[in-house]
Amino acid sequence: MEKINKKEYDIYTIIRSNEEDESLIKLKDKIISEKIQYNSKVFDDNYLLRFIRARNCDVNLALQMLKKCIEWRKEEKIDEIHLFDYREEMEVLSLHPRGYHKTDKLGRPIHYELLANLNMGDVLNLTSFDRMIRYNIKKIDYCMKTFFPICSKKANRNVYQLTNITDLKDFSLFQIGRNIYDYIQADSVIMQEYYPETLGKIYILNTGYIFMGIWAIVKTFLNETTTNRVSFPSSDYLSDLQETVIF
């Protein structure tokens, strides 16, 4: 798609194609005509564009998606998610290490997750799936509001996606339990439906035949766009990752 002149945008604005720009105008017109109440500070042009891209510039589908997100944010009180006290955070992270560290070559923040010897039973002795999901929402909401602007300033251009790296070294299916699928599915719905176009690239390291069986199930929770962004680097993954990730 032809891109509009970059000079029309500041570093905090996602560059749009002509089609996307027209779709955004139509979407905002529909929001006004249907008198949809929403937080304009949250649903700025960048956020609205995510719904347009997620629905391939189909304004009606983007509007339906947006409505569901607005309702979800109201029901779950997402505007107050920063107040959520995940007091067990450090204990959980000691069993399930994950977090953001540096940026890739495109300026996107990198989120790492280590599943070595993860025992979900031990984790659930400290917390619950519902609280884990709430914590995930808090972190991605913070990433969008804080990390993306900081990374945009550093890269001197808009950064609106993140890179995720998950390491499965010493991972065992027997340590996580079958109910993990419900957690993965719930988390996938949130990321795809309410924070669309946030995941730019997903790398899964040290996969084996056990994980590929899990992947056959997990990918049924994902849309085609997300699935196409998942890569399984070879055992020599450091050289593979150097194409996009800085070490």
Side-chain angles (χ1 to χ4, degrees):
M1 292 183 290
E2 181 185 356
K3 296 293 183 181
I4 297 175
N5 193 321
K6 292 183 179 181
K7 292 183 179 180
E8 297 182 15
Y9 301 90
D10 60 36
I11 62 173
Y12 300 109
T13 303
I14 301 174
I15 298 173
R16 305 184 291 268
S17 69
N18 290 324
E19 183 181 11
E20 289 172 342
D21 208 41
E22 292 172 1
S23 297
L24 179 61
I25 292 173
K26 292 178 181 178
L27 178 61
K28 293 167 77 172
D29 286 343
K30 283 183 174 291
I31 291 173
I32 294 173
S33 64
E34 295 193 21
K35 298 180 180 180
I36 298 173
Q37 300 296 317
Y38 70 104
N39 186 340
S40 59
K41 292 183 179 180
V42 173
F43 293 99
D44 57 9
D45 285 359
N46 282 345
Y47 208 155
L48 295 179
L49 181 61
R50 293 180 182 277
F51 296 100
I52 290 171
R53 287 185 173 178
R55 293 298 179 262
N56 298 314
C57 290
D58 186 316
V59 177
N60 290 325
L61 292 180
L63 182 63
Q64 292 177 21
M65 190 179 186
L66 174 62
K67 287 179 177 179
K68 290 180 180 179
C69 184
I70 292 173
E71 188 60 30
W72 172 77
R73 290 187 69 94
K74 288 180 180 178
E75 291 178 353
E76 298 297 329
K77 299 181 179 179
I78 302 302
D79 288 345
E80 301 172 12
I81 194 67
H82 62 284
L83 300 176
F84 173 62
D85 181 17
Y86 195 59
R87 51 189 175 276
E88 63 270 36
E89 178 179 11
M90 298 312 298
E91 291 181 279
V92 172
L93 289 178
S94 70
L95 300 176
H96 181 196
R98 55 182 174 148
Y100 292 92
H101 182 63
K102 295 190 175 182
T103 58
D104 65 14
K105 290 183 178 180
L106 295 178
R108 300 177 298 199
I110 305 174
H111 181 267
Y112 293 90
E113 183 171 13
L114 306 179
L115 299 185
N117 301 315
L118 171 65
N119 188 312
M120 191 55 68
D122 291 342
V123 172
L124 292 176
N125 285 332
L126 300 172
T127 188
S128 66
F129 279 139
D130 287 343
R131 287 182 62 79
M132 289 171 66
I133 289 291
R134 195 107 183 125
Y135 173 72
N136 292 347
I137 296 171
K138 179 178 180 178
K139 299 299 285 186
I140 190 59
D141 212 65
Y142 184 82
C143 179
M144 290 186 63
K145 292 177 180 177
T146 305
F147 288 166
F148 286 163
I150 291 175
C151 291
S152 296
K153 184 176 181 179
K154 179 182 178 181
N156 197 35
R157 63 174 182 77
N158 186 265
V159 174
Y160 60 94
Q161 292 179 319
L162 62 89
T163 290
N164 188 84
I165 300 178
T166 298
D167 189 352
L168 299 181
K169 184 178 181 180
D170 297 324
F171 169 82
S172 172
L173 174 63
F174 301 105
Q175 293 173 313
I176 62 173
R178 294 193 58 82
N179 52 0
I180 189 65
Y181 293 116
D182 293 333
Y183 168 74
I184 294 174
Q185 184 174 24
D187 198 45
S188 299
V189 168
I190 288 169
M191 290 299 297
Q192 293 178 136
E193 298 299 320
Y194 308 135
Y195 296 95
E197 295 297 307
T198 302
L199 289 170
K201 191 67 179 179
I202 304 169
Y203 295 99
I204 303 180
L205 313 180
N206 295 307
T207 58
Y209 71 92
I210 293 178
F211 173 76
M212 298 316 293
I214 298 174
W215 173 244
I217 298 175
V218 170
K219 69 180 181 181
T220 63
F221 306 150
L222 308 177
N223 57 40
E224 184 178 0
T225 298
T226 302
T227 302
N228 290 338
R229 291 173 180 170
V230 178
S231 292
F232 304 96
S234 66
S235 57
D236 185 24
Y237 58 81
L238 290 180
S239 60
D240 291 342
L241 292 180
Q242 284 177 350
E243 295 181 9
T244 56
V245 180
I246 298 175
F247 293 97

